PDB file of all heavy atoms in Angstrom:
ATOM      1  N   LEU A 147     -28.146  13.403   9.257  1.00 70.00           N
ATOM      2  CA  LEU A 147     -26.704  13.193   9.081  1.00 70.00           C
ATOM      3  C   LEU A 147     -26.398  12.822   7.633  1.00 70.00           C
ATOM      4  O   LEU A 147     -25.531  13.392   6.992  1.00 70.00           O
ATOM      5  CB  LEU A 147     -26.243  12.076  10.028  1.00 70.00           C
ATOM      6  CG  LEU A 147     -24.770  11.716  10.025  1.00 70.00           C
ATOM      7  CD1 LEU A 147     -23.919  12.896  10.462  1.00 70.00           C
ATOM      8  CD2 LEU A 147     -24.517  10.543  10.961  1.00 70.00           C
ATOM      9  N   ARG A 148     -27.160  11.866   7.129  1.00 64.00           N
ATOM     10  CA  ARG A 148     -26.924  11.437   5.748  1.00 64.00           C
ATOM     11  C   ARG A 148     -27.134  12.593   4.776  1.00 64.00           C
ATOM     12  O   ARG A 148     -26.377  12.780   3.838  1.00 64.00           O
ATOM     13  CB  ARG A 148     -27.864  10.295   5.379  1.00 64.00           C
ATOM     14  CG  ARG A 148     -27.474   9.029   6.077  1.00 64.00           C
ATOM     15  CD  ARG A 148     -28.087   7.826   5.402  1.00 64.00           C
ATOM     16  NE  ARG A 148     -28.084   6.743   6.359  1.00 64.00           N
ATOM     17  CZ  ARG A 148     -29.138   6.016   6.667  1.00 64.00           C
ATOM     18  NH1 ARG A 148     -30.277   6.223   6.066  1.00 64.00           N
ATOM     19  NH2 ARG A 148     -29.053   5.077   7.559  1.00 64.00           N
ATOM     20  N   ARG A 149     -28.211  13.372   5.020  1.00 70.00           N
ATOM     21  CA  ARG A 149     -28.523  14.471   4.105  1.00 70.00           C
ATOM     22  C   ARG A 149     -27.420  15.527   4.162  1.00 70.00           C
ATOM     23  O   ARG A 149     -26.937  15.993   3.149  1.00 70.00           O
ATOM     24  CB  ARG A 149     -29.868  15.084   4.510  1.00 70.00           C
ATOM     25  CG  ARG A 149     -30.535  15.896   3.414  1.00 70.00           C
ATOM     26  CD  ARG A 149     -31.961  16.261   3.787  1.00 70.00           C
ATOM     27  NE  ARG A 149     -32.057  16.842   5.118  1.00 70.00           N
ATOM     28  CZ  ARG A 149     -32.731  16.299   6.138  1.00 70.00           C
ATOM     29  NH1 ARG A 149     -33.385  15.158   5.970  1.00 70.00           N
ATOM     30  NH2 ARG A 149     -32.762  16.885   7.304  1.00 70.00           N
ATOM     31  N   GLU A 150     -26.990  15.844   5.374  1.00 73.00           N
ATOM     32  CA  GLU A 150     -26.008  16.914   5.518  1.00 73.00           C
ATOM     33  C   GLU A 150     -24.645  16.522   4.972  1.00 73.00           C
ATOM     34  O   GLU A 150     -23.907  17.349   4.454  1.00 73.00           O
ATOM     35  CB  GLU A 150     -25.880  17.313   6.999  1.00 73.00           C
ATOM     36  CG  GLU A 150     -27.085  18.088   7.481  1.00 73.00           C
ATOM     37  CD  GLU A 150     -27.128  18.230   9.002  1.00 73.00           C
ATOM     38  OE1 GLU A 150     -26.076  18.032   9.641  1.00 73.00           O
ATOM     39  OE2 GLU A 150     -28.205  18.525   9.538  1.00 73.00           O
ATOM     40  N   LEU A 151     -24.280  15.247   5.106  1.00 72.00           N
ATOM     41  CA  LEU A 151     -22.970  14.821   4.621  1.00 72.00           C
ATOM     42  C   LEU A 151     -23.007  14.374   3.169  1.00 72.00           C
ATOM     43  O   LEU A 151     -21.979  14.222   2.536  1.00 72.00           O
ATOM     44  CB  LEU A 151     -22.429  13.663   5.462  1.00 72.00           C
ATOM     45  CG  LEU A 151     -22.164  13.961   6.926  1.00 72.00           C
ATOM     46  CD1 LEU A 151     -21.560  12.747   7.588  1.00 72.00           C
ATOM     47  CD2 LEU A 151     -21.240  15.151   7.078  1.00 72.00           C
ATOM     48  N   GLY A 152     -24.201  14.183   2.665  1.00 66.00           N
ATOM     49  CA  GLY A 152     -24.347  13.552   1.357  1.00 66.00           C
ATOM     50  C   GLY A 152     -23.843  14.405   0.223  1.00 66.00           C
ATOM     51  O   GLY A 152     -23.683  15.617   0.334  1.00 66.00           O
ATOM     52  N   ASN A 153     -23.566  13.713  -0.878  1.00 64.00           N
ATOM     53  CA  ASN A 153     -23.218  14.389  -2.103  1.00 64.00           C
ATOM     54  C   ASN A 153     -21.961  15.242  -1.996  1.00 64.00           C
ATOM     55  O   ASN A 153     -21.791  16.204  -2.727  1.00 64.00           O
ATOM     56  CB  ASN A 153     -24.397  15.235  -2.585  1.00 64.00           C
ATOM     57  CG  ASN A 153     -24.299  15.495  -4.063  1.00 64.00           C
ATOM     58  OD1 ASN A 153     -23.794  14.655  -4.804  1.00 64.00           O
ATOM     59  ND2 ASN A 153     -24.739  16.655  -4.504  1.00 64.00           N
ATOM     60  N   GLN A 154     -21.111  14.935  -1.050  1.00 87.00           N
ATOM     61  CA  GLN A 154     -19.823  15.612  -1.020  1.00 87.00           C
ATOM     62  C   GLN A 154     -18.961  15.020  -2.119  1.00 87.00           C
ATOM     63  O   GLN A 154     -19.103  13.861  -2.472  1.00 87.00           O
ATOM     64  CB  GLN A 154     -19.156  15.444   0.348  1.00 87.00           C
ATOM     65  CG  GLN A 154     -19.901  16.160   1.459  1.00 87.00           C
ATOM     66  CD  GLN A 154     -19.936  17.665   1.267  1.00 87.00           C
ATOM     67  OE1 GLN A 154     -19.059  18.244   0.625  1.00 87.00           O
ATOM     68  NE2 GLN A 154     -20.957  18.300   1.828  1.00 87.00           N
ATOM     69  N   ARG A 155     -18.037  15.832  -2.621  1.00 92.00           N
ATOM     70  CA  ARG A 155     -17.319  15.408  -3.821  1.00 92.00           C
ATOM     71  C   ARG A 155     -15.853  15.094  -3.572  1.00 92.00           C
ATOM     72  O   ARG A 155     -15.192  15.767  -2.785  1.00 92.00           O
ATOM     73  CB  ARG A 155     -17.414  16.509  -4.865  1.00 92.00           C
ATOM     74  CG  ARG A 155     -18.828  16.690  -5.332  1.00 92.00           C
ATOM     75  CD  ARG A 155     -18.916  17.904  -6.203  1.00 92.00           C
ATOM     76  NE  ARG A 155     -20.210  17.928  -6.866  1.00 92.00           N
ATOM     77  CZ  ARG A 155     -20.552  18.836  -7.754  1.00 92.00           C
ATOM     78  NH1 ARG A 155     -19.714  19.783  -8.084  1.00 92.00           N
ATOM     79  NH2 ARG A 155     -21.732  18.784  -8.309  1.00 92.00           N
ATOM     80  N   MET A 156     -15.400  14.079  -4.311  1.00 94.00           N
ATOM     81  CA  MET A 156     -13.999  13.677  -4.222  1.00 94.00           C
ATOM     82  C   MET A 156     -13.442  13.570  -5.634  1.00 94.00           C
ATOM     83  O   MET A 156     -14.090  13.021  -6.523  1.00 94.00           O
ATOM     84  CB  MET A 156     -13.937  12.318  -3.525  1.00 94.00           C
ATOM     85  CG  MET A 156     -12.580  11.666  -3.592  1.00 94.00           C
ATOM     86  SD  MET A 156     -12.611  10.090  -2.716  1.00 94.00           S
ATOM     87  CE  MET A 156     -12.799  10.667  -1.048  1.00 94.00           C
ATOM     88  N   LEU A 157     -12.226  14.103  -5.811  1.00 96.00           N
ATOM     89  CA  LEU A 157     -11.547  13.967  -7.107  1.00 96.00           C
ATOM     90  C   LEU A 157     -10.268  13.184  -6.854  1.00 96.00           C
ATOM     91  O   LEU A 157      -9.437  13.593  -6.033  1.00 96.00           O
ATOM     92  CB  LEU A 157     -11.225  15.368  -7.664  1.00 96.00           C
ATOM     93  CG  LEU A 157     -10.479  15.443  -8.996  1.00 96.00           C
ATOM     94  CD1 LEU A 157     -11.291  14.831 -10.138  1.00 96.00           C
ATOM     95  CD2 LEU A 157     -10.148  16.915  -9.329  1.00 96.00           C
ATOM     96  N   GLY A 158     -10.142  12.022  -7.501  1.00 97.00           N
ATOM     97  CA  GLY A 158      -8.956  11.179  -7.293  1.00 97.00           C
ATOM     98  C   GLY A 158      -8.492  10.580  -8.599  1.00 97.00           C
ATOM     99  O   GLY A 158      -9.132  10.750  -9.643  1.00 97.00           O
TER     100      GLY A 158
END
Side-chain angles (χ1 to χ4, degrees):
L147 181 62
R148 288 198 200 129
R149 199 170 50 243
E150 287 167 18
L151 297 183
N153 203 32
Q154 293 297 334
R155 294 172 169 184
M156 169 179 291
L157 178 63

